[in-house]
Amino acid sequence: MNILFSVIAVFFLIACERKENFINLEEKNGVIYNKLSKIPFTGKVSGLSKGNIKKGLKEGKWKKYYENGKIKEKGQYNNNIKEGKWFFYYNNGNLESKKNFKEGKLNGELITYYKNKKVSQKENYILDKREGKFLKYNASEKLQKKGFYKAGKREGQYLEFYSTGQLMYEEFYIDDKLNKFRKVYYKNGNLQSKTSYKEGNKEGKSFFYYKDGNLLKKSSYFNDKLEGQLFYYYVDGQYKKKEYYKNNKLHGERILYHKNQGLL
């Protein structure tokens, strides 16, 4: 008798389990309902989204699809919150990114890809904040950016490269603010400029160079403002112009030099 009752109960539950196409559902304040009901939906979902909903909340394995039938994303929900590994795809079926979640927040390694399957970016997160090494590549697999993050903020050396792989920028950060220096390079590898920084502001000497490496301009900054002498040079090293600044304003006369002939 007990066995018979158990069998009947199982069939009853299966018969009562609701199935619905996701297009017939709607979400209000984070809870999913059938469009014709005020009671949170419970049951299996089909269509462009497939998975289980319990009392209006996504639960367990979940998949979403593009209109062309290709998978768009897949992963797992815990009480309507993304949890664990999730995979996201382009509409051609190629992987777009791999992400890890903890209680709905990015947590762990995140890798993104170009449509040609080449790696675009590698980074790591702790509860939605970047942490550790950050690497970004161009479509030709050459390194484009390289840096380090601590609690979501840039920390230490940060590099950016030309598409050829040649260094373009070199910066140094403390607590997401430029410190020490910022260097910019020409495509030929020669230094274009070097400027000193302190807590995000220009502070100290600044130098600019011609493509051949000769000095173009030198100046000084205090609290992000020009302060003191500013010199411009011809490519052969002769003076081109002299100026003097106080609190970012020109102070006194501007002196101009004619190449090979002295003062104008």
Side-chain angles (χ1 to χ4, degrees):
M1 189 69 176
N2 288 335
I3 296 176
L4 179 60
F5 178 78
S6 297
V7 172
I8 293 173
V10 170
F11 276 102
F12 178 77
L13 289 172
I14 293 174
C16 290
E17 185 179 53
R18 301 175 65 186
K19 295 181 180 179
E20 190 65 79
N21 192 304
F22 196 72
I23 199 171
N24 296 322
L25 304 176
E26 61 182 355
E27 188 171 337
K28 298 178 182 178
N29 299 320
V31 179
I32 298 171
Y33 299 83
N34 187 298
K35 292 180 179 179
L36 302 177
S37 174
K38 295 182 179 180
I39 300 174
F41 179 79
T42 294
K44 289 187 175 181
V45 175
S46 61
L48 294 180
S49 291
K50 291 182 179 180
N52 293 291
I53 296 176
K54 185 177 180 180
K55 296 181 179 179
L57 304 177
K58 297 171 186 175
E59 192 68 43
K61 293 180 180 180
W62 194 268
K63 292 182 179 180
K64 288 183 71 173
Y65 297 86
Y66 289 101
E67 293 284 352
N68 64 7
K70 298 286 187 180
I71 190 165
K72 186 175 184 178
E73 61 185 66
K74 67 179 180 180
Q76 185 145 335
Y77 281 98
N78 182 12
N79 203 30
N80 214 44
I81 296 173
K82 285 184 171 75
E83 192 70 35
K85 290 184 178 180
W86 274 76
F87 301 86
F88 299 82
Y89 300 84
Y90 291 106
N91 59 9
N92 66 356
N94 289 344
L95 188 62
E96 184 269 334
S97 64
K98 293 189 290 189
K99 301 178 182 180
N100 289 275
F101 291 89
K102 183 178 181 180
E103 298 177 355
K105 295 182 178 180
L106 289 169
N107 197 73
E109 188 178 46
L110 188 158
I111 303 176
T112 57
Y113 301 84
Y114 290 103
K115 277 192 173 183
N116 63 5
K117 300 182 181 180
K118 304 295 185 182
V119 173
S120 166
Q121 201 161 291
K122 289 183 178 181
E123 53 195 310
N124 193 72
Y125 283 81
I126 294 180
L127 299 178
D128 264 355
K129 293 183 178 180
R130 275 181 179 157
E131 186 72 29
K133 189 180 292 185
F134 167 81
L135 299 171
K136 183 173 177 59
Y137 302 87
N138 61 27
S140 300
E141 296 185 280
K142 289 190 176 181
L143 190 60
Q144 188 175 357
K145 294 181 181 180
K146 179 182 180 181
F148 191 89
Y149 283 78
K150 187 176 181 180
K153 297 179 179 180
R154 283 172 289 187
E155 195 74 25
Q157 188 184 53
Y158 194 92
L159 306 175
E160 187 167 346
F161 302 85
Y162 288 104
S163 59
T164 58
Q166 176 64 47
L167 184 61
M168 182 191 299
Y169 298 109
E170 182 182 3
E171 302 170 334
F172 194 90
Y173 287 86
I174 297 176
D175 198 29
D176 211 38
K177 293 180 181 179
L178 270 170
N179 273 273
K180 295 186 178 181
F181 63 84
R182 182 177 192 264
K183 295 180 181 179
V184 182
Y185 295 86
Y186 289 107
K187 285 186 177 182
N188 65 5
N190 288 342
L191 187 63
Q192 181 179 344
S193 67
K194 179 181 179 181
T195 303
S196 298
Y197 280 82
K198 183 179 180 181
E199 296 183 355
N201 294 322
K202 293 175 183 176
E203 188 81 19
K205 300 293 184 182
S206 177
F207 302 90
F208 281 76
Y209 301 87
Y210 289 99
K211 281 187 177 182
D212 64 3
N214 289 325
L215 186 61
L216 168 66
K217 180 178 74 170
K218 69 177 180 180
S219 57
S220 295
Y221 286 85
F222 178 73
N223 198 26
D224 217 32
K225 296 178 180 180
L226 277 168
E227 192 72 30
Q229 292 277 7
L230 186 153
F231 300 94
Y232 284 89
Y233 300 87
Y234 288 105
V235 70
D236 62 0
Q238 294 184 61
Y239 282 124
K240 186 176 184 180
K241 182 168 61 175
K242 288 183 181 180
E243 298 173 342
Y244 189 86
Y245 284 82
K246 283 187 176 181
N247 197 31
N248 213 44
K249 293 181 180 179
L250 182 64
H251 187 77
E253 293 183 350
R254 177 180 286 116
I255 303 175
L256 302 176
Y257 294 83
H258 193 286
K259 192 173 183 181
N260 298 322
Q261 295 183 24
L263 289 171
L264 289 177

